[in-house]
Structures are given as structure tokens and as C-alpha cells.
Amino acid sequence: KMQQMLEFWQKHADEKPEMDMLNFLKMSADEELEFDHDDTLREMMARFHDKSQFELTPDPPKFQGKLRDYQKRGVSWIQYLEQLGLNGCLADDMGLGKTIEVIAPLINEGERKDSTLPTLLIAPTSVLGNWQKEMTRFAPHLTTMIHHGSSREKKEKAFQEECAKYDMIISSYALARKDEKLFRAVEWERVVLDEAQNIKNPQTAQTKAILKFKAKHRLALTGTPV
């Protein structure tokens, strides 16, 4: 095992000096290896393995509605993953409220005021307007902009300045590829993909473009069985 690890580090040291969280967790799961964690990692791994650390979040004060119990679990799970630096896939069936499970964390985030970065939502063109209506309905104090159509902003600097004015930018899968340079010019708090089965093929230009967007967090939504 030690020889394999040594060969791995020698091979990848220059191109990738840091290990991402997914690979670290995979290696940590190997019972033949023992890791000496620093305080931050030790605390994170303790939370990751201790189910009591998963606390249900109450309805956000400014949320215009009431979360059902399973929706509270969904919101809590999303926030739990983000606090650990991990990304998730919310795979509730169609009609169970994935939209408001995304909106609620945005409200909580605004209350903490620990981020001024906008969230980017990529969705099928047919539901762009619906997402904006749901944001207005459940979180009227949050601002949204739909980036779509021939009159959309196409200059990078102007797009950056425009995005900074909103809490959520809503756009389509087609434009994620077509306006890739625009989206890459902005640092996002999170990228949310609605109907995420649209990127199931890692070889498509659309998927490759979205994976290049810079974001602290990523969340995939799909009612299609994973």
C-alpha cells in the first residue's frame, strides 16, 4: 500500500499537489490505512461520520411559506454538505419541492451576510420563468435576473457588473455553452443545475463548459432516477 501511494504522489505531485475531498474520502475508507488529521480535518471527519451533527434547520424567517418535514431534511442536508465543502445531488421526485429546497438556503445565506456572490441557476429554457416566479413567491426580498434572449448582455465586464446586483442569475443549458466565457468571468457562490440529467454525458461541450464555471458550491437537481 505504501509503495502504491508513493508511486501515486510521484506521478501526480507536479500536476496536482493537493488531493480533492472525494479522493481523500475514498482513501480514508481504506481500513488498511491510518491518517493523522490536522484539527480542521479531524473536526470535519467527525461531523461527517456523526449523524447527530446533522441538525434540521427551521424555516428561514423571511421564507414566505412553510417547509414540509422532508423538505426541511433536504434543506438541512444541502447546508450540511456545503459546510463540509462537499457538493450534492438532490433527487426528489417531480413535484416534491426541489425548487423551494434551493431557495431556503439562499435566504439563510442572506441572513448570515457571509457572501456577496450570486448563485447561478442553469435550467431548461421552458422553466426559466417558473424559477423566477417561485423566487418572487417564496423569497420576494431576493433579486433575480434571467439571462436569456437576443437582448441579453454579451460583454464580460458589463455582465460581471450586472450579476453583482442580483442574488440569483437564471439561464439555460444552451446558453451555458454558448455564453461560456461570460459565466466563467464571474465567481459564483454556487452553481445549481435543474434537470441535471442534461449533463449526464461528460463528453458533450455543454457538460464540459459547465464544469469550468468557478463556484464555491455545486448542486444538482433531478427527479430522474440516478
Side-chain angles (χ1 to χ4, degrees):
K1 283 288 180 179
M2 291 303 298
Q3 185 60 38
Q4 289 175 10
M5 288 184 67
L6 180 60
E7 291 173 359
F8 174 86
W9 291 120
Q10 289 175 337
K11 181 178 179 181
H12 297 284
D14 293 334
E15 62 189 62
K16 197 172 185 181
E18 298 179 351
M19 181 185 292
D20 61 39
M21 187 53 62
L22 181 60
N23 283 323
F24 172 73
L25 290 173
K26 286 179 179 177
M27 294 192 73
S28 296
D30 190 335
E31 295 180 357
E32 296 180 27
L33 300 176
E34 183 175 337
F35 285 86
D36 184 16
H37 305 132
D38 63 17
D39 290 341
T40 303
L41 263 180
R42 188 178 298 110
E43 179 183 348
M44 190 197 122
M45 294 303 292
R47 293 185 62 196
F48 188 73
H49 292 295
D50 183 1
K51 292 183 180 178
S52 67
Q53 295 286 338
F54 182 82
E55 300 176 356
L56 290 183
T57 180
D59 288 3
K62 293 183 179 180
F63 182 72
Q64 301 300 303
K66 184 172 177 59
L67 293 170
R68 297 169 183 167
D69 285 345
Y70 72 86
Q71 292 169 338
K72 285 185 180 180
R73 288 195 296 274
V75 172
S76 302
W77 182 72
I78 291 170
Q79 294 183 156
Y80 170 73
L81 289 180
E82 290 191 352
Q83 289 167 5
L84 290 175
L86 302 173
N87 303 309
C89 176
L90 185 61
D92 286 347
D93 286 338
M94 186 184 299
L96 290 186
K98 292 189 291 293
T99 303
I100 61 176
E101 290 177 64
V102 171
I103 295 173
L106 264 66
I107 298 175
N108 285 330
E109 189 172 81
E111 291 298 302
R112 293 195 307 269
K113 300 185 185 303
D114 57 2
S115 175
T116 57
L117 301 177
T119 284
L120 172 64
L121 176 97
I122 303 294
T125 305
S126 59
V127 299
L128 299 185
N130 183 65
W131 267 97
Q132 190 172 52
K133 288 178 183 176
E134 294 289 272
M135 283 284 288
T136 302
R137 176 184 173 188
F138 292 105
H141 65 290
L142 296 181
T143 55
T144 60
M145 179 185 78
I146 293 182
H147 178 76
H148 199 261
S150 58
S151 61
R152 70 186 187 279
E153 183 58 63
K154 298 176 183 177
K155 295 181 179 178
E156 285 187 22
K157 187 171 180 56
F159 181 69
Q160 288 175 316
E161 293 173 350
E162 193 71 11
C163 288
K165 301 175 184 177
Y166 295 91
D167 297 298
M168 178 185 277
I169 308 301
I170 303 170
S171 195
S172 66
Y173 281 98
L175 288 183
R177 178 182 56 79
K178 193 170 184 179
D179 289 356
E180 176 187 345
K181 288 185 178 180
L182 286 182
F183 293 123
R184 288 176 63 181
V186 177
E187 184 179 355
W188 306 99
E189 178 66 25
R190 70 179 54 73
V191 172
V192 181
L193 301 183
D194 191 17
E195 303 294 342
Q197 63 272 13
N198 281 283
I199 64 160
K200 65 183 179 181
N201 185 347
Q203 301 304 320
T204 63
Q206 177 175 274
T207 302
K208 290 179 179 178
I210 291 173
L211 289 175
K212 293 176 183 176
F213 298 166
K214 294 177 290 187
K216 291 182 181 179
H217 310 291
R218 299 173 185 274
L219 179 65
L221 312 177
T222 176
T224 300
V226 179

